[in-house]
């Protein structure tokens, strides 16, 4: 789990924003946060929050052992977590993400545990195989020996991780989420599980930023904010940009924030170079830059192959930048097609190109989408609203404990 506000510059994100909300509105809550972190201190108290940096070694030797001993990492993390629980004596434990091991602590404590759903590796893993086979990913990484070794030796480890995730869902009773997608995952993998809706916290730099106001220009400004991993639709961006330029002579610039090096893999696969098709790779950018990009861009594009409740899309809606997104995972819980954004089939770059061109010429539709997005997303991500749902879930779970 992220160190949240313990080291926001290193990670930050929506969990840090959630911590701010709990600290501000939850004066009656004593908050402790445990996370993996390379520091020897057992705990540190700051601003009324007790932080537990769990230092679990991650040497080359450790990583090699993990390839054959699938309990090795969990055994070490579990020991640290039990020490934290014994020291802090929580009434409730909240674990973020089913894709991590932390939620398995339910098997070692009588304290109620709630899993805050994020992604779901069992689905993400299958989706990644739709984008790249192992052999293709190795080829697209220029046959890098380190990449090849990692992929080929991680097969059994990955399979065991997927089994652990399914076990985690089955063994836990309480879950939080925010889309029909993660709700369906809980319902089908654990029919006895209890699901609580809780909207996502948004970074204050975005939530309170100036709203959408693009400068008039004949060149349409597109923006995608992503980590640029293999599930984020990099291939779709490249193929769509090529279609827009070569087949329609469309005048655009596409700014893509994220890991520029990760984008190179998609270039190798598609044989399309970003600089030939009006794509600018911005690298990783901070929250203030994100807010400014969303404010001045004409359209925000979210082409992920699979996603649940992406922060970047929610942030675009809060600022009011008209959204076009692939209809995958939990996206349809955020984007009401034609009202708070536009949806398209994820694997159709031509359809994405059509949607972009249509929206860029119909200013009245873009303006209406922007207004609707701001109204819906501002309320959905309002700090008071987030805390209300969070606190109601806590009370319900603790009430059952009593």
């Amino acid at each position: 789990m992220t160190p949240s506000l313990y080291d926001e510059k290193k990670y930050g994100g929506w969990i840090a924003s959630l911590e701010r909300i709990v600290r501000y509105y939850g004066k009656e809550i004593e908050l402790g946060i445990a996370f993996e972190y390379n520091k020897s201190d057992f705990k540190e108290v700051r601003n009324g929050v007790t932080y537990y940096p769990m230092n679990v070694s991650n040497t080359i030797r450790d990583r090699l052992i993990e390839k054959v001993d699938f309990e090795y990492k969990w055994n070490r993390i579990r020991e640290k977590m039990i020490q934290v629980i014994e020291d802090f004596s929580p009434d409730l434990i909240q674990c973020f993400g089913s894709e991590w091991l932390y939620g398995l602590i339910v098997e070692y404590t009588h304290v109620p545990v709630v899993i805050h759903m994020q992604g779901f590796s069992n689905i993400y893993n299958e989706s990644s195989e739709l984008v790249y086979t192992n052999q293709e990913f190795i080829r697209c990484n220029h046959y890098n020996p380190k990449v090849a070794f990692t992929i080929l030796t991680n097969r059994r480890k990955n399979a065991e991780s997927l089994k652990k995730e399914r076990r985690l869902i089955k063994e836990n009773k309480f879950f939080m989420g925010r889309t029909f997608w993660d709700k369906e995952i809980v319902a089908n993998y654990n029919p006895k599980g209890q699901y609580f809706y809780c909207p996502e916290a948004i970074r204050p730099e975005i939530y309170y930023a100036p709203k959408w106001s693009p400068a008039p220009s004949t060149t349409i400004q597109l923006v995608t904010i992503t980590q640029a991993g293999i599930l984020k639709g990099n291939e779709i961006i490249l193929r769509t940009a090529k279609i827009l330029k070569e087949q329609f002579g469309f005048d655009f610039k596409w700014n893509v924030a994220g890991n520029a090096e990760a984008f190179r893999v998609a270039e190798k696969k598609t044989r399309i170079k970003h600089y030939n098709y009006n794509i600018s790779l911005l690298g990783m950018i901070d929250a203030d830059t994100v807010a400014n990009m969303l404010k001045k861009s004409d359209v925000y594009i979210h082409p992920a192959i699979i996603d649940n409740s992406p922060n970047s899309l929610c942030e675009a809606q809060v600022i009011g930048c008209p959204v076009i997104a692939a209809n995958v995972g939990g996206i349809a819980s955020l984007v009401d097609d034609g009202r708070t954004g536009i949806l398209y089939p994820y694997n159709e770059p031509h359809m994405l190109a059509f949607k972009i061109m249509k929206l860029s010429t119909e200013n009245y539709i873009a303006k209406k989408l922007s207004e609707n997005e701001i109204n819906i997303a501002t309320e959905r991500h309002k700090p008071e609203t987030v805390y209300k749902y969070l606190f109601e879930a806590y009370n319900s779970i603790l009430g059952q404990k009593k």
Side-chain angles (χ1 to χ4, degrees):
M1 163 181 168
T2 169
S4 194
L5 293 177
Y6 182 83
D7 188 355
E8 187 182 11
K9 290 183 178 179
K10 187 173 182 180
Y11 295 99
W14 75 272
I15 294 179
S17 301
L18 185 62
E19 180 188 340
R20 285 192 183 91
I21 290 172
V22 173
R23 280 165 53 171
Y24 185 82
Y25 293 98
K27 303 299 184 183
E28 68 274 48
I29 294 177
E30 183 181 354
L31 187 61
I33 301 178
F35 46 90
E36 292 185 61
Y37 196 82
N38 186 22
K39 193 172 183 180
S40 58
D41 296 349
F42 174 61
K43 68 178 178 180
E44 183 177 342
V45 179
R46 296 185 196 166
N47 301 312
V49 177
T50 306
Y51 296 99
Y52 293 92
M54 300 184 295
N55 191 349
V56 181
S57 64
N58 189 34
T59 63
I60 294 177
R61 176 180 177 274
D62 292 322
R63 294 195 292 273
L64 289 174
I65 293 174
E66 288 170 15
K67 293 179 184 295
V68 294
D69 183 353
F70 306 123
E71 298 298 322
Y72 179 70
K73 184 170 184 178
W74 169 236
N75 288 339
R76 293 181 298 144
I77 293 175
R78 185 186 67 228
E79 288 181 10
K80 300 283 186 181
M81 293 181 71
I82 290 173
Q83 292 173 11
V84 171
I85 292 169
E86 290 174 347
D87 184 75
F88 192 72
S89 299
D91 297 304
L92 176 66
I93 298 170
Q94 184 171 357
C95 294
F96 290 87
S98 62
E99 62 268 43
W100 310 111
L101 298 172
Y102 310 118
L104 290 175
I105 198 65
V106 73
E107 299 174 341
Y108 299 88
T109 179
H110 294 295
V111 179
V113 177
V114 57
I115 306 300
H116 202 128
M117 298 295 291
Q118 297 187 137
F120 188 63
S121 290
N122 275 264
I123 295 178
Y124 278 36
N125 185 71
E126 187 165 352
S127 297
S128 69
E129 293 175 355
L130 298 175
V131 185
Y132 292 95
T133 63
N134 287 339
Q135 291 74 18
E136 188 175 30
F137 192 69
I138 291 170
R139 177 183 67 80
C140 291
N141 276 279
H142 305 282
Y143 298 97
N144 183 309
K146 183 178 179 181
V147 172
F149 177 79
T150 300
I151 288 176
L152 296 176
T153 59
N154 271 6
R155 289 177 178 175
R156 286 186 61 202
K157 177 185 173 183
N158 291 340
E160 289 296 321
S161 295
L162 297 179
K163 285 171 59 177
K164 280 188 173 66
E165 182 180 46
R166 295 194 296 270
R167 184 175 116 211
L168 184 155
I169 297 290
K170 182 179 179 181
E171 294 300 320
N172 276 280
K173 181 179 180 181
F174 304 112
F175 301 86
M176 288 182 184
R178 51 205 174 274
T179 68
F180 75 90
W181 185 77
D182 58 35
K183 186 176 183 179
E184 283 295 305
I185 289 169
V186 172
N188 284 279
Y189 281 93
N190 183 354
K192 296 182 180 179
Q194 294 185 35
Y195 180 92
F196 300 92
Y197 172 75
C198 185
E200 197 163 35
I202 292 294
R203 292 179 288 182
E205 300 94 330
I206 308 294
Y207 189 81
Y208 298 106
K211 301 306 179 186
W212 183 60
S213 180
S217 173
T218 56
T219 300
I220 300 301
Q221 299 291 323
L222 310 176
V223 63
T224 296
I225 299 168
T226 173
Q227 295 294 325
I230 64 172
L231 294 175
K232 299 304 181 181
N234 303 329
E235 300 81 8
I236 300 296
I237 293 173
L238 290 166
R239 295 183 193 281
T240 304
K242 185 177 181 181
I243 291 167
L244 287 171
K245 183 176 181 180
E246 288 189 350
Q247 298 186 23
F248 298 102
F250 186 66
D251 187 8
F252 72 98
K253 180 181 179 183
W254 198 330
N255 293 300
V256 180
N259 185 338
E261 286 306 310
F263 208 84
R264 312 294 181 192
V265 177
E267 291 185 317
K268 178 73 173 178
K269 177 179 179 178
T270 60
R271 296 181 174 85
I272 301 171
K273 297 295 184 182
H274 72 277
Y275 48 76
N276 290 331
Y277 295 99
N278 304 355
I279 297 172
S280 176
L281 300 181
L282 306 179
M284 306 303 289
I285 59 178
D286 61 24
D288 291 331
T289 307
V290 168
N292 187 51
M293 291 296 301
L294 293 172
K295 175 188 173 183
K296 69 180 185 180
S297 298
D298 293 287
V299 185
Y300 174 80
I301 313 294
H302 195 81
I305 304 304
I306 189 69
D307 230 328
N308 183 18
S309 173
N311 299 68
S312 55
L313 189 152
C314 295
E315 291 176 344
Q317 289 182 316
V318 165
I319 286 180
C321 184
V323 165
I324 300 177
N327 189 3
V328 297
I331 300 297
S333 291
L334 305 173
V335 178
D336 183 358
D337 189 26
R339 181 166 175 257
T340 58
I342 295 173
L343 298 175
Y344 75 95
Y346 88 90
N347 61 342
E348 294 191 34
H350 277 87
M351 184 57 69
L352 175 55
F354 300 158
K355 300 285 188 182
I356 290 170
M357 291 188 292
K358 182 178 176 64
L359 184 59
S360 66
T361 58
E362 298 181 342
N363 293 334
Y364 69 97
I365 293 180
K367 184 177 179 181
K368 191 61 180 177
L369 288 177
S370 177
E371 292 172 354
N372 291 339
E373 286 177 358
I374 291 171
N375 291 336
I376 297 296
T378 300
E379 180 60 33
R380 182 175 67 213
H381 301 288
K382 183 188 295 185
E384 301 96 309
T385 302
V386 174
Y387 183 74
K388 170 182 174 289
Y389 282 104
L390 187 71
F391 191 66
E392 286 176 354
Y394 288 167
N395 274 337
S396 179
I397 295 169
L398 293 174
Q400 295 179 55
K401 176 185 175 183
K402 293 177 183 178

